[in-house]
Amino acid sequence: MNILVINCGSSSLKFQVIDAETEKLLAKGLCERIGMDGASITYENKVENTGKEVNETPMPDHKQAVSLVLNALTNEKTGVLKSLDEIGAVGHRIVHGGEKFTSSAVITDEVVEAIKEVSDLAPLHNPANLIGIDACKALMPGTPMVAVFDTAFHQTMPEKAYMYALPLSYYRDYKVRRYGFHGTSHSYVSKKAAEIVGKPYDSLKTIVCHLGNGASVSAVCCGKCVDTSMGLTPLEGLIMGTRSGDLDPAIIEFIAGKENKTAAEVVSVLNKKSGVFALSDELSSDFRDLEEGYENNHYAKLAIDAFCYRVAKYIGSYTAAMNGVDVIAFTAGIGENSGFVRGKIMEYLGYLGIKINAEENGKRDDVLKISTDDSKVQVYSIATNEELAIARETYALTK
Ligand code: AMP
């Protein structure tokens, strides 16, 4: 059964088609600049590996984008499907499931309503995700659809980890609490880590470091997420590409006063103009550029050093939270590709009895063991695959 995986943003739509039985990727692509000038669709047939095909074409809305995706998938020459009947189900990535969704759900009218209800917790993401659902429903009316939530994996966090020390009415009235994100990735990588070390998932203490443009750490104890670094929104926790991560909340009022800005404007700076981008004196949010500047540019070095220090502090606190750690797994763009950053983080972790194999750490592979055999904690780089995880969930609920 083929699963179409859709990840819909406000002006973009990423898609993959995965054969759920063989877990083979059949096609993938991306619609960009939806609703803007210069919209384009990138399509790759992965069966024949014909390479990327990019077409600039008008895309006034997401329905048109989904329609173009379906045309590309069934195109006589380059398509991987004979007809849309070959799509058994659609899996949608949904950013925020609030407290309502502790796992994936088959999309019904009630589920759509529930996603709408928590949209104020993710005003940039959930509405875009819902547009994707609507567009697919209009063009593939009989095909079952599943919502896979970024927050669901973290719903096992205990109260002491998810509550903010704020007036309880904020939680009771507005559901202000920590939710965590990247859950699909944390779940996939922690399970894969258990598979790789050959131990039952529910017997391990694992720390997953999802280090991409957005970055978060999670503590997975005995098969359950017990803590994660992102909060009510993805702004909390690690220093990220352009997000500040943890800071003193009083800074918001302070800067608002100094620069005559609203709270919303300052929060926008914290989301879009901060992080390693800001610390590197706006050199870049991309770690490839920062690594290049590390030796000669003070601020590129500062950005990387501060980023690694924050990750190491989270690893330390999650080791304490779980009273130990068996496996540390690095994933996502930086975690999978940068031996340099992994090495810098690991320099802080000698106290855990971690020993690193520098040669292996310099390599890049989907699964890389970077600790030595006598290291007290096993450390891996594991490629995440959120689309495959979404396809698996979708298949499990619709087969
Ligand atoms: P993601 O959000 O998971 O797609 O990660 C994107 C980020 O990964 C980019 O912004 C880069 O900072 C980082 N990245 C990708 N490739 C490399 C690389 N070869 N070395 C260092 N960082 C990388």
Side-chain angles (χ1 to χ4, degrees):
M1 173 168 149
N2 296 323
I3 310 285
L4 171 62
V5 176
I6 298 272
N7 181 352
C8 213
S10 53
S11 66
S12 69
L13 185 159
K14 290 187 204 144
F15 65 95
Q16 289 196 0
V17 176
I18 295 170
D19 177 335
E21 275 104 19
T22 59
E23 299 203 334
K24 200 172 162 346
L25 173 63
L26 306 182
K28 68 186 281 196
L30 166 69
C31 298
E32 288 174 286
R33 299 182 62 82
I34 300 169
M36 301 179 208
D37 286 343
S40 66
I41 174 168
T42 305
Y43 173 79
E44 261 183 281
N45 176 329
K46 299 299 280 184
V47 179
E48 282 154 25
N49 268 321
T50 44
K52 278 188 189 166
E53 193 189 298
V54 186
N55 278 312
E56 275 207 24
T57 170
M59 245 177 263
D61 55 28
H62 286 75
K63 191 171 166 198
Q64 176 67 8
V66 173
S67 168
L68 288 165
V69 169
L70 299 179
N71 285 345
L73 291 171
T74 52
N75 179 287
E76 263 187 21
K77 275 195 201 136
T78 53
V80 289
L81 307 173
K82 286 197 189 74
S83 81
L84 294 183
D85 296 341
E86 291 183 14
I87 296 175
V90 183
H92 290 270
R93 176 193 179 212
I94 309 293
V95 167
H96 218 306
E99 286 187 321
K100 279 191 198 273
F101 295 103
T102 55
S103 58
S104 306
V106 174
I107 296 175
T108 59
D109 291 346
E110 292 77 52
V111 168
V112 168
E113 273 316 302
I115 297 171
K116 273 187 200 152
E117 270 169 38
V118 294
S119 279
D120 63 341
L121 295 171
L124 296 179
H125 296 103
N126 274 28
N129 300 157
L130 284 164
I131 291 173
I133 293 176
D134 267 356
C136 288
K137 209 161 130 189
L139 295 161
M140 289 183 283
T143 309
M145 300 197 283
V146 169
V148 180
F149 299 92
D150 257 24
T151 48
F153 181 63
H154 305 302
Q155 277 295 306
T156 49
M157 282 195 284
E159 229 178 2
K160 64 185 175 187
Y162 72 67
M163 284 300 285
Y164 290 114
L166 290 170
L168 280 178
S169 59
Y170 295 175
Y171 173 64
R172 292 189 187 124
D173 297 344
Y174 315 121
K175 294 288 172 218
V176 171
R177 51 158 282 179
R178 307 184 60 256
Y179 290 95
F181 298 87
H182 296 139
T184 312
S185 175
H186 286 287
S187 164
Y188 176 86
V189 172
S190 56
K191 284 179 187 132
K192 184 100 188 169
E195 237 174 80
I196 293 164
V197 301
K199 297 232 170 96
Y201 189 45
D202 59 8
S203 74
L204 283 175
K205 295 172 179 175
T206 304
I207 295 176
V208 178
C209 304
H210 176 110
L211 309 180
N213 197 31
S216 63
V217 187
S218 69
V220 185
C221 192
C222 308
K224 287 199 168 106
C225 176
V226 294
D227 212 338
T228 192
S229 58
M230 284 177 165
L232 174 77
T233 76
L235 185 53
E236 190 178 341
L238 299 180
I239 295 172
M240 307 178 214
T242 61
R243 293 190 194 123
S244 63
D246 296 333
L247 45 70
D248 180 345
I251 290 173
I252 297 172
E253 191 201 359
F254 184 82
I255 294 299
K258 291 278 180 206
E259 302 223 326
N260 198 20
K261 284 187 160 77
T262 63
E265 284 167 343
V266 180
V267 171
S268 171
V269 172
L270 301 185
N271 269 306
K272 295 181 183 155
K273 295 247 150 68
S274 300
V276 291
F277 171 73
L279 278 179
S280 67
D281 201 15
E282 307 195 354
L283 173 71
S284 179
S285 61
D286 192 310
F287 274 69
R288 285 164 285 204
D289 302 328
L290 300 176
E291 279 181 34
E292 215 178 287
Y294 191 84
E295 292 304 330
N296 299 316
N297 179 326
H298 174 79
Y299 293 104
K301 179 175 185 309
L302 170 65
I304 290 187
D305 287 348
F307 176 89
C308 295
Y309 178 61
R310 180 82 53 92
V311 177
K313 287 207 292 185
Y314 265 97
I315 292 174
S317 66
Y318 287 171
T319 304
M322 295 193 289
N323 192 17
V325 57
D326 301 307
V327 184
I328 297 174
F330 289 96
T331 194
I334 304 158
E336 291 168 30
N337 291 301
S338 178
F340 184 76
V341 168
R342 290 192 301 251
K344 289 253 164 265
I345 294 167
M346 234 79 71
E347 281 173 14
Y348 291 97
L349 305 179
Y351 72 97
L352 289 174
I354 289 178
K355 289 190 199 157
I356 292 302
N357 181 333
E359 196 185 325
E360 287 301 303
N361 187 40
K363 295 181 184 166
R364 203 237 164 270
D365 210 336
D366 281 357
V367 174
L368 204 61
K369 184 179 174 194
I370 52 188
S371 51
T372 59
D373 288 341
D374 62 342
S375 174
K376 288 222 176 81
V377 178
Q378 299 202 44
V379 185
Y380 284 87
S381 162
I382 298 173
T384 193
N385 193 338
E386 286 162 284
E387 290 77 13
L388 176 59
I390 293 172
R392 282 178 182 166
E393 292 277 309
T394 305
Y395 183 54
L397 289 177
T398 57
K399 68 181 168 190

mmCIF file with all atom_site columns, all heavy atoms in Angstrom, residues 332-355:
data_model
loop_
_atom_site.group_PDB
_atom_site.id
_atom_site.type_symbol
_atom_site.label_atom_id
_atom_site.label_alt_id
_atom_site.label_comp_id
_atom_site.label_asym_id
_atom_site.label_entity_id
_atom_site.label_seq_id
_atom_site.pdbx_PDB_ins_code
_atom_site.Cartn_x
_atom_site.Cartn_y
_atom_site.Cartn_z
_atom_site.occupancy
_atom_site.B_iso_or_equiv
_atom_site.pdbx_formal_charge
_atom_site.auth_seq_id
_atom_site.auth_comp_id
_atom_site.auth_asym_id
_atom_site.auth_atom_id
_atom_site.pdbx_PDB_model_num
ATOM 1   N N   . ALA A 1 332 ? 19.324 14.809 12.703 1.00 0.00 ? 332 ALA A N   1
ATOM 2   C CA  . ALA A 1 332 ? 18.949 16.011 11.924 1.00 0.00 ? 332 ALA A CA  1
ATOM 3   C C   . ALA A 1 332 ? 20.196 16.650 11.285 1.00 0.00 ? 332 ALA A C   1
ATOM 4   O O   . ALA A 1 332 ? 21.312 16.158 11.475 1.00 0.00 ? 332 ALA A O   1
ATOM 5   C CB  . ALA A 1 332 ? 18.166 17.009 12.765 1.00 0.00 ? 332 ALA A CB  1
ATOM 6   N N   . GLY A 1 333 ? 19.971 17.736 10.544 1.00 0.00 ? 333 GLY A N   1
ATOM 7   C CA  . GLY A 1 333 ? 21.008 18.309 9.671  1.00 0.00 ? 333 GLY A CA  1
ATOM 8   C C   . GLY A 1 333 ? 22.377 18.452 10.307 1.00 0.00 ? 333 GLY A C   1
ATOM 9   O O   . GLY A 1 333 ? 23.379 18.020 9.737  1.00 0.00 ? 333 GLY A O   1
ATOM 10  N N   . ILE A 1 334 ? 22.435 19.032 11.498 1.00 0.00 ? 334 ILE A N   1
ATOM 11  C CA  . ILE A 1 334 ? 23.738 19.225 12.156 1.00 0.00 ? 334 ILE A CA  1
ATOM 12  C C   . ILE A 1 334 ? 24.169 17.926 12.844 1.00 0.00 ? 334 ILE A C   1
ATOM 13  O O   . ILE A 1 334 ? 25.319 17.491 12.711 1.00 0.00 ? 334 ILE A O   1
ATOM 14  C CB  . ILE A 1 334 ? 23.637 20.372 13.199 1.00 0.00 ? 334 ILE A CB  1
ATOM 15  C CG1 . ILE A 1 334 ? 23.138 21.653 12.538 1.00 0.00 ? 334 ILE A CG1 1
ATOM 16  C CG2 . ILE A 1 334 ? 24.964 20.595 13.897 1.00 0.00 ? 334 ILE A CG2 1
ATOM 17  C CD1 . ILE A 1 334 ? 22.515 22.659 13.502 1.00 0.00 ? 334 ILE A CD1 1
ATOM 18  N N   . GLY A 1 335 ? 23.237 17.287 13.550 1.00 0.00 ? 335 GLY A N   1
ATOM 19  C CA  . GLY A 1 335 ? 23.554 16.057 14.285 1.00 0.00 ? 335 GLY A CA  1
ATOM 20  C C   . GLY A 1 335 ? 24.049 14.939 13.389 1.00 0.00 ? 335 GLY A C   1
ATOM 21  O O   . GLY A 1 335 ? 24.893 14.135 13.781 1.00 0.00 ? 335 GLY A O   1
ATOM 22  N N   . GLU A 1 336 ? 23.526 14.892 12.153 1.00 0.00 ? 336 GLU A N   1
ATOM 23  C CA  . GLU A 1 336 ? 23.933 13.808 11.240 1.00 0.00 ? 336 GLU A CA  1
ATOM 24  C C   . GLU A 1 336 ? 25.192 14.151 10.452 1.00 0.00 ? 336 GLU A C   1
ATOM 25  O O   . GLU A 1 336 ? 25.913 13.267 10.012 1.00 0.00 ? 336 GLU A O   1
ATOM 26  C CB  . GLU A 1 336 ? 22.804 13.519 10.230 1.00 0.00 ? 336 GLU A CB  1
ATOM 27  C CG  . GLU A 1 336 ? 21.583 12.896 10.864 1.00 0.00 ? 336 GLU A CG  1
ATOM 28  C CD  . GLU A 1 336 ? 20.376 12.895 9.916  1.00 0.00 ? 336 GLU A CD  1
ATOM 29  O OE1 . GLU A 1 336 ? 20.572 12.830 8.695  1.00 0.00 ? 336 GLU A OE1 1
ATOM 30  O OE2 . GLU A 1 336 ? 19.246 12.968 10.434 1.00 0.00 ? 336 GLU A OE2 1
ATOM 31  N N   . ASN A 1 337 ? 25.408 15.457 10.234 1.00 0.00 ? 337 ASN A N   1
ATOM 32  C CA  . ASN A 1 337 ? 26.474 15.847 9.300  1.00 0.00 ? 337 ASN A CA  1
ATOM 33  C C   . ASN A 1 337 ? 27.724 16.437 9.924  1.00 0.00 ? 337 ASN A C   1
ATOM 34  O O   . ASN A 1 337 ? 28.765 16.465 9.282  1.00 0.00 ? 337 ASN A O   1
ATOM 35  C CB  . ASN A 1 337 ? 25.926 16.873 8.300  1.00 0.00 ? 337 ASN A CB  1
ATOM 36  C CG  . ASN A 1 337 ? 24.930 16.250 7.360  1.00 0.00 ? 337 ASN A CG  1
ATOM 37  O OD1 . ASN A 1 337 ? 25.252 15.305 6.642  1.00 0.00 ? 337 ASN A OD1 1
ATOM 38  N ND2 . ASN A 1 337 ? 23.703 16.731 7.395  1.00 0.00 ? 337 ASN A ND2 1
ATOM 39  N N   . SER A 1 338 ? 27.600 16.949 11.141 1.00 0.00 ? 338 SER A N   1
ATOM 40  C CA  . SER A 1 338 ? 28.744 17.678 11.675 1.00 0.00 ? 338 SER A CA  1
ATOM 41  C C   . SER A 1 338 ? 29.458 16.927 12.797 1.00 0.00 ? 338 SER A C   1
ATOM 42  O O   . SER A 1 338 ? 29.086 17.023 13.979 1.00 0.00 ? 338 SER A O   1
ATOM 43  C CB  . SER A 1 338 ? 28.290 19.066 12.172 1.00 0.00 ? 338 SER A CB  1
ATOM 44  O OG  . SER A 1 338 ? 29.399 19.720 12.731 1.00 0.00 ? 338 SER A OG  1
ATOM 45  N N   . GLY A 1 339 ? 30.513 16.206 12.409 1.00 0.00 ? 339 GLY A N   1
ATOM 46  C CA  . GLY A 1 339 ? 31.370 15.558 13.402 1.00 0.00 ? 339 GLY A CA  1
ATOM 47  C C   . GLY A 1 339 ? 32.015 16.607 14.286 1.00 0.00 ? 339 GLY A C   1
ATOM 48  O O   . GLY A 1 339 ? 32.284 16.384 15.468 1.00 0.00 ? 339 GLY A O   1
ATOM 49  N N   . PHE A 1 340 ? 32.253 17.774 13.707 1.00 0.00 ? 340 PHE A N   1
ATOM 50  C CA  . PHE A 1 340 ? 32.878 18.887 14.427 1.00 0.00 ? 340 PHE A CA  1
ATOM 51  C C   . PHE A 1 340 ? 32.014 19.286 15.636 1.00 0.00 ? 340 PHE A C   1
ATOM 52  O O   . PHE A 1 340 ? 32.506 19.357 16.768 1.00 0.00 ? 340 PHE A O   1
ATOM 53  C CB  . PHE A 1 340 ? 33.047 20.060 13.460 1.00 0.00 ? 340 PHE A CB  1
ATOM 54  C CG  . PHE A 1 340 ? 33.754 21.247 14.038 1.00 0.00 ? 340 PHE A CG  1
ATOM 55  C CD1 . PHE A 1 340 ? 35.131 21.230 14.215 1.00 0.00 ? 340 PHE A CD1 1
ATOM 56  C CD2 . PHE A 1 340 ? 33.051 22.388 14.400 1.00 0.00 ? 340 PHE A CD2 1
ATOM 57  C CE1 . PHE A 1 340 ? 35.792 22.332 14.746 1.00 0.00 ? 340 PHE A CE1 1
ATOM 58  C CE2 . PHE A 1 340 ? 33.698 23.488 14.926 1.00 0.00 ? 340 PHE A CE2 1
ATOM 59  C CZ  . PHE A 1 340 ? 35.079 23.462 15.096 1.00 0.00 ? 340 PHE A CZ  1
ATOM 60  N N   . VAL A 1 341 ? 30.716 19.511 15.380 1.00 0.00 ? 341 VAL A N   1
ATOM 61  C CA  . VAL A 1 341 ? 29.815 19.919 16.465 1.00 0.00 ? 341 VAL A CA  1
ATOM 62  C C   . VAL A 1 341 ? 29.628 18.765 17.457 1.00 0.00 ? 341 VAL A C   1
ATOM 63  O O   . VAL A 1 341 ? 29.675 18.973 18.678 1.00 0.00 ? 341 VAL A O   1
ATOM 64  C CB  . VAL A 1 341 ? 28.459 20.403 15.888 1.00 0.00 ? 341 VAL A CB  1
ATOM 65  C CG1 . VAL A 1 341 ? 27.416 20.539 16.977 1.00 0.00 ? 341 VAL A CG1 1
ATOM 66  C CG2 . VAL A 1 341 ? 28.644 21.735 15.160 1.00 0.00 ? 341 VAL A CG2 1
ATOM 67  N N   . ARG A 1 342 ? 29.443 17.554 16.943 1.00 0.00 ? 342 ARG A N   1
ATOM 68  C CA  . ARG A 1 342 ? 29.293 16.395 17.859 1.00 0.00 ? 342 ARG A CA  1
ATOM 69  C C   . ARG A 1 342 ? 30.517 16.303 18.762 1.00 0.00 ? 342 ARG A C   1
ATOM 70  O O   . ARG A 1 342 ? 30.402 16.104 19.974 1.00 0.00 ? 342 ARG A O   1
ATOM 71  C CB  . ARG A 1 342 ? 29.147 15.090 17.056 1.00 0.00 ? 342 ARG A CB  1
ATOM 72  C CG  . ARG A 1 342 ? 27.834 14.956 16.309 1.00 0.00 ? 342 ARG A CG  1
ATOM 73  C CD  . ARG A 1 342 ? 27.662 13.529 15.799 1.00 0.00 ? 342 ARG A CD  1
ATOM 74  N NE  . ARG A 1 342 ? 28.722 13.100 14.899 1.00 0.00 ? 342 ARG A NE  1
ATOM 75  C CZ  . ARG A 1 342 ? 28.579 12.920 13.583 1.00 0.00 ? 342 ARG A CZ  1
ATOM 76  N NH1 . ARG A 1 342 ? 27.409 13.129 13.001 1.00 0.00 ? 342 ARG A NH1 1
ATOM 77  N NH2 . ARG A 1 342 ? 29.582 12.505 12.839 1.00 0.00 ? 342 ARG A NH2 1
ATOM 78  N N   . GLY A 1 343 ? 31.692 16.457 18.175 1.00 0.00 ? 343 GLY A N   1
ATOM 79  C CA  . GLY A 1 343 ? 32.942 16.358 18.941 1.00 0.00 ? 343 GLY A CA  1
ATOM 80  C C   . GLY A 1 343 ? 33.009 17.420 20.022 1.00 0.00 ? 343 GLY A C   1
ATOM 81  O O   . GLY A 1 343 ? 33.377 17.144 21.167 1.00 0.00 ? 343 GLY A O   1
ATOM 82  N N   . LYS A 1 344 ? 32.630 18.655 19.659 1.00 0.00 ? 344 LYS A N   1
ATOM 83  C CA  . LYS A 1 344 ? 32.677 19.764 20.639 1.00 0.00 ? 344 LYS A CA  1
ATOM 84  C C   . LYS A 1 344 ? 31.711 19.500 21.799 1.00 0.00 ? 344 LYS A C   1
ATOM 85  O O   . LYS A 1 344 ? 32.009 19.829 22.943 1.00 0.00 ? 344 LYS A O   1
ATOM 86  C CB  . LYS A 1 344 ? 32.267 21.086 19.975 1.00 0.00 ? 344 LYS A CB  1
ATOM 87  C CG  . LYS A 1 344 ? 33.269 21.626 19.001 1.00 0.00 ? 344 LYS A CG  1
ATOM 88  C CD  . LYS A 1 344 ? 33.977 22.852 19.598 1.00 0.00 ? 344 LYS A CD  1
ATOM 89  C CE  . LYS A 1 344 ? 35.226 23.184 18.848 1.00 0.00 ? 344 LYS A CE  1
ATOM 90  N NZ  . LYS A 1 344 ? 36.468 22.668 19.352 1.00 0.00 ? 344 LYS A NZ  1
ATOM 91  N N   . ILE A 1 345 ? 30.532 18.936 21.495 1.00 0.00 ? 345 ILE A N   1
ATOM 92  C CA  . ILE A 1 345 ? 29.562 18.635 22.569 1.00 0.00 ? 345 ILE A CA  1
ATOM 93  C C   . ILE A 1 345 ? 30.136 17.543 23.471 1.00 0.00 ? 345 ILE A C   1
ATOM 94  O O   . ILE A 1 345 ? 30.089 17.617 24.699 1.00 0.00 ? 345 ILE A O   1
ATOM 95  C CB  . ILE A 1 345 ? 28.199 18.195 21.967 1.00 0.00 ? 345 ILE A CB  1
ATOM 96  C CG1 . ILE A 1 345 ? 27.560 19.357 21.205 1.00 0.00 ? 345 ILE A CG1 1
ATOM 97  C CG2 . ILE A 1 345 ? 27.263 17.671 23.062 1.00 0.00 ? 345 ILE A CG2 1
ATOM 98  C CD1 . ILE A 1 345 ? 26.395 18.976 20.319 1.00 0.00 ? 345 ILE A CD1 1
ATOM 99  N N   . MET A 1 346 ? 30.713 16.559 22.829 1.00 0.00 ? 346 MET A N   1
ATOM 100 C CA  . MET A 1 346 ? 31.216 15.405 23.584 1.00 0.00 ? 346 MET A CA  1
ATOM 101 C C   . MET A 1 346 ? 32.393 15.772 24.489 1.00 0.00 ? 346 MET A C   1
ATOM 102 O O   . MET A 1 346 ? 32.640 15.094 25.475 1.00 0.00 ? 346 MET A O   1
ATOM 103 C CB  . MET A 1 346 ? 31.647 14.310 22.609 1.00 0.00 ? 346 MET A CB  1
ATOM 104 C CG  . MET A 1 346 ? 30.992 13.004 22.899 1.00 0.00 ? 346 MET A CG  1
ATOM 105 S SD  . MET A 1 346 ? 29.345 12.969 22.289 1.00 0.00 ? 346 MET A SD  1
ATOM 106 C CE  . MET A 1 346 ? 29.731 12.909 20.563 1.00 0.00 ? 346 MET A CE  1
ATOM 107 N N   . GLU A 1 347 ? 33.099 16.852 24.158 1.00 0.00 ? 347 GLU A N   1
ATOM 108 C CA  . GLU A 1 347 ? 34.223 17.279 25.013 1.00 0.00 ? 347 GLU A CA  1
ATOM 109 C C   . GLU A 1 347 ? 33.759 17.543 26.452 1.00 0.00 ? 347 GLU A C   1
ATOM 110 O O   . GLU A 1 347 ? 34.540 17.464 27.385 1.00 0.00 ? 347 GLU A O   1
ATOM 111 C CB  . GLU A 1 347 ? 34.869 18.560 24.451 1.00 0.00 ? 347 GLU A CB  1
ATOM 112 C CG  . GLU A 1 347 ? 35.790 18.286 23.280 1.00 0.00 ? 347 GLU A CG  1
ATOM 113 C CD  . GLU A 1 347 ? 36.288 19.589 22.643 1.00 0.00 ? 347 GLU A CD  1
ATOM 114 O OE1 . GLU A 1 347 ? 36.146 20.675 23.251 1.00 0.00 ? 347 GLU A OE1 1
ATOM 115 O OE2 . GLU A 1 347 ? 36.817 19.505 21.507 1.00 0.00 ? 347 GLU A OE2 1
ATOM 116 N N   . TYR A 1 348 ? 32.461 17.873 26.610 1.00 0.00 ? 348 TYR A N   1
ATOM 117 C CA  . TYR A 1 348 ? 31.943 18.157 27.960 1.00 0.00 ? 348 TYR A CA  1
ATOM 118 C C   . TYR A 1 348 ? 31.563 16.887 28.718 1.00 0.00 ? 348 TYR A C   1
ATOM 119 O O   . TYR A 1 348 ? 31.218 16.962 29.890 1.00 0.00 ? 348 TYR A O   1
ATOM 120 C CB  . TYR A 1 348 ? 30.678 19.016 27.863 1.00 0.00 ? 348 TYR A CB  1
ATOM 121 C CG  . TYR A 1 348 ? 30.913 20.433 27.381 1.00 0.00 ? 348 TYR A CG  1
ATOM 122 C CD1 . TYR A 1 348 ? 30.721 20.775 26.048 1.00 0.00 ? 348 TYR A CD1 1
ATOM 123 C CD2 . TYR A 1 348 ? 31.312 21.429 28.266 1.00 0.00 ? 348 TYR A CD2 1
ATOM 124 C CE1 . TYR A 1 348 ? 30.909 22.074 25.605 1.00 0.00 ? 348 TYR A CE1 1
ATOM 125 C CE2 . TYR A 1 348 ? 31.500 22.732 27.835 1.00 0.00 ? 348 TYR A CE2 1
ATOM 126 C CZ  . TYR A 1 348 ? 31.306 23.049 26.504 1.00 0.00 ? 348 TYR A CZ  1
ATOM 127 O OH  . TYR A 1 348 ? 31.497 24.333 26.074 1.00 0.00 ? 348 TYR A OH  1
ATOM 128 N N   . LEU A 1 349 ? 31.541 15.736 28.028 1.00 0.00 ? 349 LEU A N   1
ATOM 129 C CA  . LEU A 1 349 ? 30.855 14.585 28.607 1.00 0.00 ? 349 LEU A CA  1
ATOM 130 C C   . LEU A 1 349 ? 31.770 13.478 29.108 1.00 0.00 ? 349 LEU A C   1
ATOM 131 O O   . LEU A 1 349 ? 31.312 12.359 29.358 1.00 0.00 ? 349 LEU A O   1
ATOM 132 C CB  . LEU A 1 349 ? 29.853 14.012 27.584 1.00 0.00 ? 349 LEU A CB  1
ATOM 133 C CG  . LEU A 1 349 ? 28.833 15.034 27.056 1.00 0.00 ? 349 LEU A CG  1
ATOM 134 C CD1 . LEU A 1 349 ? 27.907 14.400 26.035 1.00 0.00 ? 349 LEU A CD1 1
ATOM 135 C CD2 . LEU A 1 349 ? 28.017 15.632 28.201 1.00 0.00 ? 349 LEU A CD2 1
ATOM 136 N N   . GLY A 1 350 ? 33.044 13.814 29.268 1.00 0.00 ? 350 GLY A N   1
ATOM 137 C CA  . GLY A 1 350 ? 33.995 12.820 29.787 1.00 0.00 ? 350 GLY A CA  1
ATOM 138 C C   . GLY A 1 350 ? 33.560 12.280 31.140 1.00 0.00 ? 350 GLY A C   1
ATOM 139 O O   . GLY A 1 350 ? 33.785 11.104 31.460 1.00 0.00 ? 350 GLY A O   1
ATOM 140 N N   . TYR A 1 351 ? 32.902 13.121 31.947 1.00 0.00 ? 351 TYR A N   1
ATOM 141 C CA  . TYR A 1 351 ? 32.489 12.695 33.302 1.00 0.00 ? 351 TYR A CA  1
ATOM 142 C C   . TYR A 1 351 ? 31.495 11.540 33.264 1.00 0.00 ? 351 TYR A C   1
ATOM 143 O O   . TYR A 1 351 ? 31.303 10.846 34.254 1.00 0.00 ? 351 TYR A O   1
ATOM 144 C CB  . TYR A 1 351 ? 31.914 13.879 34.089 1.00 0.00 ? 351 TYR A CB  1
ATOM 145 C CG  . TYR A 1 351 ? 30.549 14.337 33.623 1.00 0.00 ? 351 TYR A CG  1
ATOM 146 C CD1 . TYR A 1 351 ? 29.406 13.903 34.273 1.00 0.00 ? 351 TYR A CD1 1
ATOM 147 C CD2 . TYR A 1 351 ? 30.407 15.187 32.519 1.00 0.00 ? 351 TYR A CD2 1
ATOM 148 C CE1 . TYR A 1 351 ? 28.152 14.321 33.855 1.00 0.00 ? 351 TYR A CE1 1
ATOM 149 C CE2 . TYR A 1 351 ? 29.164 15.599 32.094 1.00 0.00 ? 351 TYR A CE2 1
ATOM 150 C CZ  . TYR A 1 351 ? 28.037 15.164 32.761 1.00 0.00 ? 351 TYR A CZ  1
ATOM 151 O OH  . TYR A 1 351 ? 26.806 15.553 32.334 1.00 0.00 ? 351 TYR A OH  1
ATOM 152 N N   . LEU A 1 352 ? 30.855 11.343 32.109 1.00 0.00 ? 352 LEU A N   1
ATOM 153 C CA  . LEU A 1 352 ? 29.913 10.215 31.981 1.00 0.00 ? 352 LEU A CA  1
ATOM 154 C C   . LEU A 1 352 ? 30.631 8.929  31.558 1.00 0.00 ? 352 LEU A C   1
ATOM 155 O O   . LEU A 1 352 ? 29.991 7.904  31.347 1.00 0.00 ? 352 LEU A O   1
ATOM 156 C CB  . LEU A 1 352 ? 28.842 10.545 30.929 1.00 0.00 ? 352 LEU A CB  1
ATOM 157 C CG  . LEU A 1 352 ? 27.815 11.609 31.311 1.00 0.00 ? 352 LEU A CG  1
ATOM 158 C CD1 . LEU A 1 352 ? 26.921 11.937 30.107 1.00 0.00 ? 352 LEU A CD1 1
ATOM 159 C CD2 . LEU A 1 352 ? 26.957 11.124 32.471 1.00 0.00 ? 352 LEU A CD2 1
ATOM 160 N N   . GLY A 1 353 ? 31.930 9.016  31.422 1.00 0.00 ? 353 GLY A N   1
ATOM 161 C CA  . GLY A 1 353 ? 32.685 7.840  30.970 1.00 0.00 ? 353 GLY A CA  1
ATOM 162 C C   . GLY A 1 353 ? 32.570 7.630  29.473 1.00 0.00 ? 353 GLY A C   1
ATOM 163 O O   . GLY A 1 353 ? 32.779 6.536  28.952 1.00 0.00 ? 353 GLY A O   1
ATOM 164 N N   . ILE A 1 354 ? 32.221 8.719  28.760 1.00 0.00 ? 354 ILE A N   1
ATOM 165 C CA  . ILE A 1 354 ? 32.080 8.620  27.298 1.00 0.00 ? 354 ILE A CA  1
ATOM 166 C C   . ILE A 1 354 ? 33.459 8.731  26.657 1.00 0.00 ? 354 ILE A C   1
ATOM 167 O O   . ILE A 1 354 ? 34.238 9.629  26.978 1.00 0.00 ? 354 ILE A O   1
ATOM 168 C CB  . ILE A 1 354 ? 31.149 9.735  26.768 1.00 0.00 ? 354 ILE A CB  1
ATOM 169 C CG1 . ILE A 1 354 ? 29.708 9.446  27.186 1.00 0.00 ? 354 ILE A CG1 1
ATOM 170 C CG2 . ILE A 1 354 ? 31.261 9.872  25.253 1.00 0.00 ? 354 ILE A CG2 1
ATOM 171 C CD1 . ILE A 1 354 ? 28.715 10.502 26.770 1.00 0.00 ? 354 ILE A CD1 1
ATOM 172 N N   . LYS A 1 355 ? 33.738 7.777  25.760 1.00 0.00 ? 355 LYS A N   1
ATOM 173 C CA  . LYS A 1 355 ? 34.981 7.858  24.988 1.00 0.00 ? 355 LYS A CA  1
ATOM 174 C C   . LYS A 1 355 ? 34.602 7.867  23.511 1.00 0.00 ? 355 LYS A C   1
ATOM 175 O O   . LYS A 1 355 ? 33.799 7.034  23.069 1.00 0.00 ? 355 LYS A O   1
ATOM 176 C CB  . LYS A 1 355 ? 35.867 6.652  25.291 1.00 0.00 ? 355 LYS A CB  1
ATOM 177 C CG  . LYS A 1 355 ? 36.463 6.697  26.680 1.00 0.00 ? 355 LYS A CG  1
ATOM 178 C CD  . LYS A 1 355 ? 37.504 5.614  26.820 1.00 0.00 ? 355 LYS A CD  1
ATOM 179 C CE  . LYS A 1 355 ? 37.775 5.338  28.289 1.00 0.00 ? 355 LYS A CE  1
ATOM 180 N NZ  . LYS A 1 355 ? 38.315 4.003  28.498 1.00 0.00 ? 355 LYS A NZ  1
#
